[in-house]
Short mmCIF file of all heavy atoms in Angstrom, two decimals:
data_model
loop_
_atom_site.label_atom_id
_atom_site.label_comp_id
_atom_site.label_asym_id
_atom_site.label_seq_id
_atom_site.Cartn_x
_atom_site.Cartn_y
_atom_site.Cartn_z
N ARG A 1 0.83 -1.21 0.00
CA ARG A 1 0.00 0.00 0.00
C ARG A 1 0.85 1.25 0.00
O ARG A 1 0.46 2.29 -0.53
CB ARG A 1 -0.92 0.00 1.23
CG ARG A 1 -2.15 -0.88 1.07
CD ARG A 1 -3.08 -0.74 2.26
NE ARG A 1 -2.59 -1.42 3.44
CZ ARG A 1 -3.24 -1.46 4.60
NH1 ARG A 1 -4.39 -0.81 4.73
NH2 ARG A 1 -2.75 -2.12 5.64
N THR A 2 2.04 1.18 0.58
CA THR A 2 2.92 2.34 0.61
C THR A 2 3.40 2.72 -0.79
O THR A 2 3.91 3.83 -0.99
CB THR A 2 4.14 2.08 1.50
OG1 THR A 2 4.91 1.01 0.96
CG2 THR A 2 3.70 1.71 2.91
N ASP A 3 3.26 1.81 -1.76
CA ASP A 3 3.72 2.06 -3.12
C ASP A 3 2.61 2.58 -4.03
O ASP A 3 2.90 3.01 -5.16
CB ASP A 3 4.32 0.79 -3.71
CG ASP A 3 5.50 0.28 -2.92
OD1 ASP A 3 6.41 1.09 -2.64
OD2 ASP A 3 5.52 -0.91 -2.55
N GLU A 4 1.37 2.54 -3.57
CA GLU A 4 0.26 2.90 -4.45
C GLU A 4 0.29 4.37 -4.87
O GLU A 4 -0.06 4.69 -6.01
CB GLU A 4 -1.08 2.55 -3.79
CG GLU A 4 -1.33 1.05 -3.66
CD GLU A 4 -1.49 0.36 -5.01
OE1 GLU A 4 -2.03 0.97 -5.95
OE2 GLU A 4 -1.05 -0.81 -5.12
N ILE A 5 0.69 5.27 -3.97
CA ILE A 5 0.79 6.68 -4.36
C ILE A 5 1.79 6.84 -5.49
O ILE A 5 1.56 7.57 -6.46
CB ILE A 5 1.18 7.55 -3.15
CG1 ILE A 5 0.08 7.54 -2.10
CG2 ILE A 5 1.47 8.98 -3.59
CD1 ILE A 5 0.45 8.26 -0.80
N ALA A 6 2.91 6.14 -5.38
CA ALA A 6 3.93 6.22 -6.43
C ALA A 6 3.44 5.60 -7.73
O ALA A 6 3.73 6.12 -8.81
CB ALA A 6 5.22 5.53 -5.97
N PHE A 7 2.69 4.49 -7.65
CA PHE A 7 2.12 3.92 -8.87
C PHE A 7 1.28 4.97 -9.59
O PHE A 7 1.35 5.14 -10.80
CB PHE A 7 1.24 2.71 -8.56
CG PHE A 7 1.98 1.50 -8.06
CD1 PHE A 7 1.35 0.59 -7.21
CD2 PHE A 7 3.29 1.24 -8.43
CE1 PHE A 7 2.00 -0.53 -6.74
CE2 PHE A 7 3.96 0.11 -7.97
CZ PHE A 7 3.31 -0.78 -7.11
N GLY A 8 0.45 5.68 -8.81
CA GLY A 8 -0.42 6.68 -9.40
C GLY A 8 0.35 7.80 -10.07
O GLY A 8 0.03 8.22 -11.20
N SER A 9 1.37 8.31 -9.41
CA SER A 9 2.14 9.42 -10.00
C SER A 9 2.95 8.96 -11.20
O SER A 9 3.08 9.69 -12.19
CB SER A 9 3.04 10.07 -8.95
OG SER A 9 4.02 9.17 -8.47
N VAL A 10 3.50 7.74 -11.15
CA VAL A 10 4.23 7.21 -12.30
C VAL A 10 3.29 7.05 -13.49
O VAL A 10 3.63 7.39 -14.63
CB VAL A 10 4.91 5.88 -11.94
CG1 VAL A 10 5.40 5.15 -13.19
CG2 VAL A 10 6.08 6.12 -11.00
N ASN A 11 2.07 6.56 -13.23
CA ASN A 11 1.08 6.45 -14.31
C ASN A 11 0.78 7.82 -14.92
O ASN A 11 0.73 7.98 -16.14
CB ASN A 11 -0.21 5.83 -13.78
CG ASN A 11 -0.06 4.38 -13.39
OD1 ASN A 11 0.91 3.72 -13.76
ND2 ASN A 11 -1.01 3.87 -12.62
N GLU A 12 0.56 8.81 -14.04
CA GLU A 12 0.24 10.17 -14.51
C GLU A 12 1.35 10.74 -15.38
O GLU A 12 1.09 11.50 -16.32
CB GLU A 12 0.00 11.09 -13.32
CG GLU A 12 -1.28 10.82 -12.55
CD GLU A 12 -1.36 11.65 -11.29
OE1 GLU A 12 -0.48 12.53 -11.09
OE2 GLU A 12 -2.29 11.42 -10.49
N ASP A 13 2.59 10.38 -15.05
CA ASP A 13 3.74 10.94 -15.77
C ASP A 13 4.14 10.11 -16.98
O ASP A 13 5.18 10.39 -17.60
CB ASP A 13 4.92 11.06 -14.81
CG ASP A 13 4.66 12.06 -13.69
OD1 ASP A 13 3.75 12.89 -13.83
OD2 ASP A 13 5.36 11.99 -12.65
N GLY A 14 3.32 9.10 -17.33
CA GLY A 14 3.59 8.32 -18.53
C GLY A 14 4.56 7.18 -18.36
O GLY A 14 5.04 6.61 -19.35
N GLY A 15 4.84 6.80 -17.10
CA GLY A 15 5.74 5.69 -16.84
C GLY A 15 5.00 4.37 -16.74
O GLY A 15 3.81 4.27 -17.07
N VAL A 16 5.71 3.35 -16.28
CA VAL A 16 5.15 2.00 -16.13
C VAL A 16 5.22 1.61 -14.66
O VAL A 16 6.30 1.59 -14.07
CB VAL A 16 5.92 0.98 -16.99
CG1 VAL A 16 5.28 -0.40 -16.85
CG2 VAL A 16 5.96 1.40 -18.44
N SER A 17 4.08 1.28 -14.08
CA SER A 17 4.00 0.87 -12.68
C SER A 17 3.77 -0.63 -12.61
O SER A 17 2.96 -1.18 -13.36
CB SER A 17 2.87 1.60 -11.98
OG SER A 17 1.65 1.45 -12.69
N VAL A 18 4.50 -1.31 -11.70
CA VAL A 18 4.45 -2.77 -11.61
C VAL A 18 4.21 -3.18 -10.16
O VAL A 18 5.05 -2.93 -9.29
CB VAL A 18 5.76 -3.41 -12.12
CG1 VAL A 18 5.64 -4.93 -12.10
CG2 VAL A 18 6.11 -2.91 -13.51
N ARG A 19 3.07 -3.80 -9.90
CA ARG A 19 2.76 -4.31 -8.56
C ARG A 19 3.33 -5.70 -8.41
O ARG A 19 3.15 -6.57 -9.28
CB ARG A 19 1.24 -4.35 -8.36
CG ARG A 19 0.75 -5.06 -7.10
CD ARG A 19 1.00 -4.27 -5.84
NE ARG A 19 0.52 -4.97 -4.65
CZ ARG A 19 -0.31 -4.46 -3.76
NH1 ARG A 19 -0.79 -3.24 -3.92
NH2 ARG A 19 -0.67 -5.15 -2.71
N VAL A 20 4.00 -5.94 -7.30
CA VAL A 20 4.56 -7.26 -7.00
C VAL A 20 3.64 -7.94 -5.99
O VAL A 20 3.42 -7.42 -4.90
CB VAL A 20 5.99 -7.14 -6.43
CG1 VAL A 20 6.56 -8.52 -6.13
CG2 VAL A 20 6.88 -6.39 -7.42
N GLY A 21 3.10 -9.09 -6.36
CA GLY A 21 2.21 -9.82 -5.47
C GLY A 21 0.76 -9.49 -5.69
O GLY A 21 0.38 -8.76 -6.62
N LEU A 22 -0.08 -10.04 -4.80
CA LEU A 22 -1.53 -9.91 -4.93
C LEU A 22 -2.01 -8.58 -4.36
O LEU A 22 -1.24 -7.83 -3.77
CB LEU A 22 -2.20 -11.07 -4.19
CG LEU A 22 -1.84 -12.48 -4.67
CD1 LEU A 22 -2.49 -13.52 -3.78
CD2 LEU A 22 -2.24 -12.68 -6.13
N GLY A 23 -3.30 -8.33 -4.54
CA GLY A 23 -3.91 -7.14 -3.96
C GLY A 23 -4.39 -6.17 -5.01
O GLY A 23 -3.86 -6.12 -6.13
N GLU A 24 -5.42 -5.41 -4.65
CA GLU A 24 -5.92 -4.37 -5.54
C GLU A 24 -4.84 -3.32 -5.74
O GLU A 24 -4.08 -3.01 -4.83
CB GLU A 24 -7.18 -3.74 -4.96
CG GLU A 24 -8.38 -4.67 -4.92
CD GLU A 24 -9.65 -3.96 -4.50
OE1 GLU A 24 -9.63 -2.71 -4.43
OE2 GLU A 24 -10.65 -4.64 -4.25
N THR A 25 -4.80 -2.75 -6.93
CA THR A 25 -3.72 -1.82 -7.24
C THR A 25 -4.12 -0.90 -8.38
O THR A 25 -4.98 -1.23 -9.19
CB THR A 25 -2.45 -2.60 -7.62
OG1 THR A 25 -1.37 -1.67 -7.82
CG2 THR A 25 -2.64 -3.42 -8.88
#
């Protein structure tokens, strides 16, 4: 969950976000 904010900002900036393991993301 601590990485979800970064996933969102990376997505917004046109990058690629990768979740490791299970869970909503």
Side-chain angles (χ1 to χ4, degrees):
R1 281 185 285 181
T2 63
D3 300 310
E4 291 294 326
I5 295 174
F7 292 151
S9 64
V10 167
N11 292 344
E12 290 173 7
D13 295 341
V16 182
S17 53
V18 184
R19 171 73 180 234
V20 180
L22 302 175
E24 293 187 10
T25 185

